[in-house]
């Protein structure tokens, strides 16, 4: 169980890094982003799935956008 969560966290960290680089206009991370997302989608880790469904989008938003979203 612990190994599975660590592996999921590694994939998540790599995916976040790719998405941040893409948001900065660095197209070199496009292929890596797609490959890692496919790996994430096939992992059998409920914690990772929950995180992706409920929290991941906030990593792609600015702090101001997150605050405004939380206020409703």
């Amino acid at each position: 169980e612990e190994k599975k969560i660590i592996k999921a966290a590694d994939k998540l960290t790599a995916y976040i890094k790719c998405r941040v680089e893409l948001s900065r206009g660095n197209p070199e991370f496009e292929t890596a982003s797609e490959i890692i997302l496919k790996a994430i989608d096939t992992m059998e880790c409920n914690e990772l799935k929950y995180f992706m469904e409920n929290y991941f989008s906030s990593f792609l938003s600015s702090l101001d956008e997150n605050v405004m979203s939380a206020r409703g």
Side-chain angles (χ1 to χ4, degrees), residues 13-29:
T13 301
Y15 186 61
I16 290 171
K17 171 67 174 170
C18 289
R19 293 298 302 262
V20 166
E21 288 295 330
L22 289 169
S23 73
R24 293 179 179 161
N26 189 347
E28 294 176 16
F29 286 81

Side-chain angles (χ1 to χ4, degrees), residues 46-64:
N46 292 331
E47 295 85 355
L48 179 58
K49 288 185 188 339
Y50 184 85
F51 182 90
M52 293 299 289
E53 291 171 1
N54 295 284
Y55 299 108
F56 181 75
S57 64
S58 67
F59 279 84
L60 305 178
S61 304
S62 70
L63 180 59
D64 290 337

